[in-house]
Coordinates of all heavy atoms in Angstrom, one line a residue:
Chain A
L3 N -5.7 -14.4 -5.9 CA -5.4 -13.1 -6.0 C -4.7 -12.8 -7.4 O -3.8 -13.6 -7.8 CB -4.4 -12.6 -4.9 CG -5.0 -12.7 -3.5 CD1 -4.0 -12.5 -2.5 CD2 -6.1 -11.7 -3.3
N32 N -14.7 -9.2 -9.8 CA -14.9 -8.2 -8.8 C -13.7 -7.3 -8.5 O -13.8 -6.4 -7.7 CB -15.3 -8.9 -7.4 CG -16.6 -9.6 -7.5 OD1 -17.5 -9.2 -8.3 ND2 -16.8 -10.6 -6.6
D33 N -12.6 -7.6 -9.1 CA -11.4 -6.9 -8.8 C -11.4 -5.4 -9.4 O -11.8 -5.2 -10.6 CB -10.2 -7.6 -9.4 CG -9.8 -8.8 -8.6 OD1 -10.4 -9.0 -7.5 OD2 -9.0 -9.6 -9.2
Y34 N -10.9 -4.5 -8.6 CA -10.7 -3.1 -9.1 C -9.2 -2.9 -9.3 O -8.4 -3.7 -8.7 CB -11.2 -2.1 -8.1 CG -12.7 -1.8 -8.2 CD1 -13.6 -2.8 -7.9 CD2 -13.1 -0.6 -8.7 CE1 -15.0 -2.5 -8.1 CE2 -14.4 -0.3 -8.9 CZ -15.4 -1.2 -8.6 OH -16.7 -1.0 -8.7
I35 N -8.8 -1.9 -10.0 CA -7.4 -1.6 -10.2 C -7.1 -0.3 -9.5 O -7.8 0.7 -9.7 CB -7.1 -1.5 -11.7 CG1 -7.4 -2.8 -12.4 CG2 -5.7 -1.0 -11.9 CD1 -7.8 -2.7 -13.8
T36 N -6.1 -0.3 -8.7 CA -5.8 0.9 -7.9 C -4.3 1.2 -8.0 O -3.5 0.3 -8.1 CB -6.1 0.6 -6.4 OG1 -7.4 0.1 -6.2 CG2 -6.0 1.9 -5.6
Y38 N -1.0 3.5 -6.4 CA -0.4 4.3 -5.3 C 1.0 4.8 -5.8 O 1.7 4.3 -6.6 CB -0.2 3.4 -4.1 CG -1.5 3.2 -3.3 CD1 -2.4 2.3 -3.7 CD2 -1.7 3.9 -2.1 CE1 -3.6 2.1 -2.9 CE2 -2.9 3.8 -1.4 CZ -3.8 2.8 -1.8 OH -5.0 2.7 -1.1
Q40 N 4.7 6.3 -4.0 CA 5.4 6.3 -2.8 C 6.7 7.0 -3.0 O 7.6 6.7 -3.8 CB 5.7 4.9 -2.2 CG 6.4 4.9 -0.9 CD 6.7 3.5 -0.3 OE1 6.8 2.5 -1.1 NE2 6.8 3.4 1.0
S43 N 11.1 7.2 2.1 CA 10.9 7.4 3.5 C 9.5 7.8 3.9 O 9.3 8.4 4.9 CB 11.9 8.4 4.1 OG 13.2 7.9 3.8
Q44 N 8.6 7.6 3.0 CA 7.2 7.9 3.3 C 6.3 6.7 3.0 O 6.7 5.8 2.2 CB 6.7 9.1 2.4 CG 7.4 10.4 2.7 CD 6.7 11.6 2.0 OE1 5.6 11.5 1.6 NE2 7.5 12.6 1.7
G45 N 5.1 6.7 3.6 CA 4.1 5.7 3.2 C 3.5 6.0 1.9 O 3.5 7.1 1.4
P46 N 2.9 5.0 1.2 CA 2.3 5.2 -0.1 C 1.1 6.1 0.0 O 0.5 6.3 1.0 CB 1.8 3.7 -0.5 CG 2.7 2.8 0.3 CD 3.0 3.6 1.6
R47 N 0.8 6.7 -1.2 CA -0.3 7.6 -1.2 C -1.2 7.2 -2.4 O -0.7 6.9 -3.5 CB 0.2 9.1 -1.5 CG -0.9 10.1 -1.5 CD -0.2 11.5 -1.6 NE 0.3 11.7 -3.0 CZ 0.0 12.7 -3.8 NH1 -1.0 13.5 -3.5 NH2 0.6 12.8 -5.0
F48 N -2.5 7.1 -2.2 CA -3.5 6.8 -3.2 C -3.5 7.8 -4.3 O -3.4 9.0 -4.1 CB -4.9 6.7 -2.6 CG -6.0 6.5 -3.5 CD1 -6.4 5.2 -3.9 CD2 -6.7 7.6 -4.1 CE1 -7.5 5.0 -4.8 CE2 -7.7 7.4 -5.0 CZ -8.1 6.1 -5.3
Q51 N -8.2 5.0 -8.9 CA -8.8 3.7 -8.9 C -9.8 3.6 -10.0 O -10.5 4.6 -10.3 CB -9.4 3.4 -7.6 CG -10.2 2.2 -7.5 CD -11.6 2.5 -6.9 OE1 -11.7 3.3 -6.0 NE2 -12.6 1.9 -7.5
Y89 N 2.9 1.9 -7.6 CA 2.4 0.5 -7.4 C 1.0 0.4 -8.0 O 0.1 1.2 -7.9 CB 2.3 0.2 -5.9 CG 3.6 0.2 -5.2 CD1 4.0 1.3 -4.5 CD2 4.3 -1.0 -5.2 CE1 5.2 1.2 -3.8 CE2 5.5 -1.1 -4.5 CZ 6.0 0.1 -3.8 OH 7.1 0.0 -3.1
L91 N -2.2 -2.1 -7.9 CA -2.8 -3.1 -7.1 C -4.1 -3.6 -7.8 O -4.9 -2.8 -8.3 CB -3.3 -2.6 -5.7 CG -2.3 -2.4 -4.6 CD1 -1.3 -1.2 -5.0 CD2 -2.9 -2.1 -3.3
G93 N -7.3 -6.1 -7.1 CA -8.0 -7.0 -6.1 C -9.3 -6.4 -5.6 O -9.7 -5.3 -6.1
D94 N -9.9 -7.1 -4.8 CA -11.1 -6.7 -4.1 C -10.8 -6.3 -2.7 O -9.8 -6.7 -2.1 CB -12.2 -7.8 -4.2 CG -13.6 -7.2 -4.1 OD1 -13.7 -6.0 -3.9 OD2 -14.5 -8.0 -4.2
V95 N -11.7 -5.5 -2.1 CA -11.4 -5.0 -0.8 C -12.0 -6.0 0.2 O -12.9 -6.7 -0.1 CB -12.0 -3.6 -0.6 CG1 -11.1 -2.6 -1.2 CG2 -13.4 -3.5 -1.1
P96 N -11.5 -5.9 1.5 CA -12.0 -6.9 2.5 C -13.5 -6.8 2.7 O -14.1 -7.7 3.1 CB -11.2 -6.5 3.7 CG -10.0 -5.9 3.2 CD -10.4 -5.2 1.9
G97 N -14.1 -5.6 2.5 CA -15.5 -5.4 2.7 C -16.3 -6.1 1.7 O -17.5 -6.3 1.9
N98 N -15.7 -6.6 0.6 CA -16.4 -7.3 -0.4 C -15.9 -8.7 -0.4 O -14.9 -9.0 -1.0 CB -16.2 -6.7 -1.8 CG -16.9 -5.3 -1.8 OD1 -17.8 -5.0 -1.1 ND2 -16.3 -4.5 -2.7
G100 N -14.3 -10.6 1.5 CA -13.0 -10.9 2.1 C -11.8 -10.7 1.1 O -10.9 -11.5 1.2
G101 N -11.9 -9.7 0.3 CA -10.7 -9.4 -0.5 C -9.6 -8.9 0.2 O -9.7 -8.5 1.4
K102 N -8.4 -8.8 -0.4 CA -7.2 -8.3 0.2 C -6.5 -7.4 -0.8 O -6.5 -7.7 -2.0 CB -6.3 -9.4 0.6 CG -6.8 -10.3 1.7 CD -5.9 -11.4 2.1 CE -6.5 -12.4 3.1 NZ -5.6 -13.5 3.4
L103 N -5.9 -6.3 -0.3 CA -5.2 -5.4 -1.1 C -3.8 -5.7 -1.1 O -3.1 -5.4 -0.1 CB -5.5 -3.9 -0.7 CG -7.0 -3.5 -0.9 CD1 -7.2 -2.1 -0.3 CD2 -7.3 -3.5 -2.4
I104 N -3.2 -6.3 -2.2 CA -1.9 -6.7 -2.2 C -1.1 -5.8 -3.1 O -1.4 -5.6 -4.3 CB -1.8 -8.2 -2.7 CG1 -2.7 -9.1 -1.8 CG2 -0.4 -8.7 -2.7 CD1 -2.3 -9.2 -0.4
F105 N 0.1 -5.4 -2.6 CA 1.0 -4.5 -3.4 C 1.9 -5.4 -4.2 O 2.4 -6.5 -3.7 CB 1.8 -3.6 -2.5 CG 1.1 -2.4 -2.1 CD1 0.1 -2.5 -1.1 CD2 1.4 -1.2 -2.6 CE1 -0.5 -1.4 -0.6 CE2 0.7 0.0 -2.2 CZ -0.2 -0.1 -1.2
G106 N 2.3 -5.0 -5.4 CA 3.3 -5.7 -6.2 C 4.7 -5.0 -5.9 O 4.8 -4.3 -4.9
Q107 N 5.6 -5.2 -6.8 CA 7.0 -4.7 -6.6 C 7.1 -3.2 -7.0 O 8.0 -2.5 -6.5 CB 8.0 -5.5 -7.4 CG 8.0 -6.9 -6.9 CD 9.4 -7.5 -6.9 OE1 10.4 -6.8 -7.0 NE2 9.5 -8.8 -6.7
Chain B
E102 N -12.9 2.6 9.5 CA -13.4 1.3 9.8 C -12.2 0.3 9.6 O -12.1 -0.7 10.4 CB -14.6 0.9 8.9 CG -15.2 -0.4 9.1 CD -16.4 -0.5 8.2 OE1 -16.2 -0.8 7.0 OE2 -17.6 -0.3 8.6
Y103 N -11.5 0.4 8.5 CA -10.5 -0.6 8.1 C -9.1 -0.1 8.5 O -8.7 1.1 8.3 CB -10.6 -0.8 6.6 CG -9.6 -1.7 6.0 CD1 -9.7 -3.1 6.0 CD2 -8.4 -1.2 5.4 CE1 -8.8 -3.9 5.5 CE2 -7.5 -2.0 4.8 CZ -7.7 -3.4 4.9 OH -6.8 -4.3 4.3
Y107 N 1.5 -3.3 7.0 CA 2.4 -3.8 5.9 C 3.8 -3.8 6.4 O 4.2 -2.9 7.2 CB 2.2 -2.9 4.7 CG 0.9 -3.0 3.9 CD1 -0.1 -2.2 4.3 CD2 0.8 -3.9 2.9 CE1 -1.3 -2.2 3.6 CE2 -0.4 -3.9 2.2 CZ -1.5 -3.1 2.6 OH -2.7 -3.1 1.9
Q109 N 7.7 -3.5 4.6 CA 8.4 -3.2 3.3 C 9.9 -3.5 3.4 O 10.6 -2.9 4.3 CB 8.2 -1.7 2.9 CG 8.7 -1.4 1.5 CD 8.3 0.0 1.0 OE1 8.2 0.9 1.7 NE2 8.1 0.0 -0.3
G112 N 13.3 -4.1 -2.4 CA 13.1 -4.9 -3.6 C 11.8 -5.8 -3.5 O 11.6 -6.6 -4.4
M113 N 11.1 -5.7 -2.4 CA 10.0 -6.6 -2.2 C 8.6 -5.9 -2.2 O 7.6 -6.5 -2.0 CB 10.1 -7.2 -0.8 CG 11.3 -8.1 -0.6 SD 11.2 -9.6 -1.6 CE 9.9 -10.5 -0.7
G114 N 8.6 -4.6 -2.4 CA 7.3 -3.9 -2.4 C 6.8 -3.9 -0.9 O 7.5 -4.1 0.0
L115 N 5.5 -3.8 -0.8 CA 4.8 -3.9 0.5 C 4.1 -5.2 0.6 O 3.4 -5.6 -0.3 CB 3.8 -2.7 0.7 CG 4.4 -1.3 1.0 CD1 4.6 -0.6 -0.4 CD2 3.6 -0.5 1.9
R116 N 4.2 -5.8 1.8 CA 3.5 -7.1 2.0 C 2.6 -6.9 3.2 O 2.9 -6.4 4.2 CB 4.5 -8.2 2.2 CG 5.3 -8.6 1.0 CD 6.2 -9.7 1.2 NE 7.3 -9.4 2.1 CZ 8.2 -10.3 2.6 NH1 8.0 -11.6 2.3 NH2 9.1 -9.9 3.4
L117 N 1.3 -7.4 3.0 CA 0.3 -7.3 4.0 C 0.5 -8.3 5.1 O 0.6 -9.5 4.9 CB -1.1 -7.5 3.3 CG -2.3 -7.4 4.2 CD1 -2.5 -5.9 4.7 CD2 -3.6 -7.8 3.4
Y120 N -4.9 -7.4 8.9 CA -5.8 -6.3 8.7 C -7.0 -6.5 9.6 O -7.3 -7.5 10.1 CB -6.2 -6.1 7.2 CG -6.9 -7.3 6.6 CD1 -8.3 -7.3 6.6 CD2 -6.2 -8.4 6.1 CE1 -9.0 -8.4 6.0 CE2 -6.9 -9.5 5.6 CZ -8.3 -9.5 5.5 OH -8.9 -10.5 5.0
V122 N -11.3 -5.2 9.7 CA -12.4 -4.5 9.1 C -13.3 -3.8 10.1 O -14.3 -3.2 9.7 CB -13.2 -5.5 8.2 CG1 -12.4 -6.1 7.1 CG2 -13.8 -6.6 9.1
D128 N -7.8 -10.2 10.7 CA -7.6 -11.4 9.8 C -6.2 -11.3 9.3 O -5.5 -10.2 9.4 CB -8.6 -11.3 8.6 CG -8.8 -12.7 8.0 OD1 -8.0 -13.7 8.3 OD2 -9.7 -12.9 7.2
Q129 N -5.7 -12.4 8.8 CA -4.3 -12.5 8.3 C -4.1 -12.0 6.9 O -5.0 -12.2 6.0 CB -3.8 -14.0 8.4 CG -3.8 -14.5 9.8 CD -3.3 -15.9 9.9 OE1 -3.2 -16.6 8.9 NE2 -3.0 -16.4 11.1
G130 N -2.9 -11.5 6.6 CA -2.6 -11.1 5.3 C -1.7 -12.1 4.7 O -1.8 -13.3 4.9
E131 N -0.7 -11.6 3.9 CA 0.3 -12.5 3.2 C 1.3 -13.1 4.1 O 1.7 -14.2 3.9 CB 1.0 -11.7 2.1 CG 0.2 -11.0 1.1 CD 1.1 -10.1 0.2 OE1 1.7 -10.6 -0.7 OE2 1.2 -8.9 0.5
F162 N 4.5 -0.2 8.0 CA 3.5 0.8 7.7 C 2.2 0.4 8.1 O 1.7 -0.7 7.9 CB 3.5 1.2 6.2 CG 4.7 1.9 5.7 CD1 5.7 1.2 5.0 CD2 4.8 3.3 5.9 CE1 6.8 1.9 4.5 CE2 5.9 3.9 5.4 CZ 6.9 3.2 4.7
S166 N -8.5 3.0 6.1 CA -9.5 3.5 5.1 C -10.9 3.6 5.7 O -11.2 3.0 6.7 CB -9.5 2.7 3.8 OG -9.9 1.4 4.1
R168 N -13.9 2.8 5.0 CA -14.7 1.6 5.1 C -14.0 0.4 4.6 O -13.0 0.6 3.9 CB -16.0 1.8 4.3 CG -16.9 2.9 4.7 CD -18.2 2.8 3.9 NE -17.9 2.8 2.4 CZ -17.8 3.8 1.7 NH1 -17.9 5.0 2.2 NH2 -17.5 3.7 0.4
A169 N -14.4 -0.7 5.0 CA -13.8 -2.0 4.6 C -13.9 -2.2 3.1 O -13.2 -3.0 2.5 CB -14.3 -3.2 5.3
D170 N -14.8 -1.5 2.4 CA -15.0 -1.6 0.9 C -14.4 -0.4 0.2 O -14.7 -0.1 -0.9 CB -16.4 -1.8 0.5 CG -17.3 -0.7 0.9 OD1 -16.9 0.3 1.6 OD2 -18.5 -0.7 0.5
S171 N -13.5 0.4 0.9 CA -12.8 1.5 0.3 C -11.5 1.1 -0.3 O -10.8 0.3 0.3 CB -12.6 2.6 1.3 OG -13.8 3.1 1.9
Y172 N -11.1 1.6 -1.4 CA -9.8 1.3 -2.0 C -8.8 2.3 -1.7 O -7.6 2.1 -1.9 CB -10.0 1.2 -3.6 CG -10.7 0.0 -4.0 CD1 -12.1 0.0 -4.0 CD2 -10.1 -1.2 -4.3 CE1 -12.8 -1.1 -4.4 CE2 -10.8 -2.3 -4.7 CZ -12.1 -2.3 -4.7 OH -12.8 -3.4 -5.1
E173 N -9.2 3.5 -1.2 CA -8.2 4.5 -0.8 C -7.8 4.3 0.6 O -8.5 4.5 1.5 CB -8.8 5.9 -1.0 CG -7.8 7.0 -0.7 CD -8.3 8.4 -1.0 OE1 -9.5 8.5 -1.5 OE2 -7.6 9.4 -0.8
Q174 N -6.5 3.9 0.8 CA -5.9 3.8 2.1 C -5.0 5.0 2.4 O -4.3 5.5 1.5 CB -5.1 2.5 2.2 CG -5.9 1.2 2.1 CD -5.1 0.0 2.4 OE1 -4.9 -0.3 3.6 NE2 -4.6 -0.6 1.4
Y175 N -5.0 5.4 3.7 CA -4.1 6.4 4.2 C -3.0 5.8 5.0 O -3.3 5.1 6.0 CB -4.9 7.4 5.0 CG -6.0 8.2 4.2 CD1 -7.2 7.6 4.0 CD2 -5.8 9.4 3.7 CE1 -8.2 8.2 3.3 CE2 -6.7 10.1 3.0 CZ -8.0 9.5 2.8 OH -8.9 10.1 2.1
F176 N -1.8 6.1 4.7 CA -0.7 5.4 5.3 C 0.0 6.3 6.4 O 0.0 7.5 6.2 CB 0.4 5.0 4.3 CG 0.0 3.8 3.5 CD1 -0.9 3.8 2.5 CD2 0.6 2.5 3.9 CE1 -1.2 2.6 1.8 CE2 0.3 1.4 3.2 CZ -0.6 1.4 2.2
G177 N 0.5 5.7 7.4 CA 1.3 6.4 8.4 C 2.7 6.6 7.9 O 3.1 6.1 6.8
P178 N 3.5 7.2 8.7 CA 4.9 7.6 8.3 C 5.9 6.4 8.4 O 7.0 6.5 7.9 CB 5.3 8.7 9.2 CG 4.5 8.4 10.5 CD 3.2 7.9 10.0
G179 N 5.5 5.3 9.0 CA 6.3 4.1 9.1 C 7.1 4.1 10.4 O 7.4 5.1 11.0
R181 N 10.8 2.1 11.4 CA 11.9 1.4 10.9 C 12.5 0.5 12.1 O 12.9 1.0 13.1 CB 13.0 2.3 10.4 CG 14.2 1.6 9.8 CD 15.2 2.6 9.2 NE 14.6 3.3 8.1 CZ 14.6 2.9 6.8 NH1 15.2 1.7 6.5 NH2 14.1 3.6 5.8

Side-chain angles (χ1 to χ4, degrees):
Chain A
L3 296 170
N32 291 337
D33 289 345
Y34 275 71
I35 299 154
T36 312
Y38 279 80
Q40 185 179 26
S43 301
Q44 293 186 26
R47 184 177 71 121
F48 173 88
Q51 170 234 318
Y89 293 97
L91 283 71
D94 202 354
V95 285
N98 294 335
K102 296 179 183 179
L103 293 174
I104 304 295
F105 281 75
Q107 298 218 13
Chain B
E102 181 178 80
Y103 176 82
Y107 291 86
Q109 186 168 35
M113 297 288 290
L115 287 92
R116 291 184 290 170
L117 181 65
Y120 63 95
V122 299
D128 206 346
Q129 296 181 348
E131 302 172 86
F162 289 101
S166 58
R168 299 185 307 271
D170 62 354
S171 301
Y172 288 85
E173 181 173 0
Q174 294 189 82
Y175 296 82
F176 281 78
R181 184 175 294 274

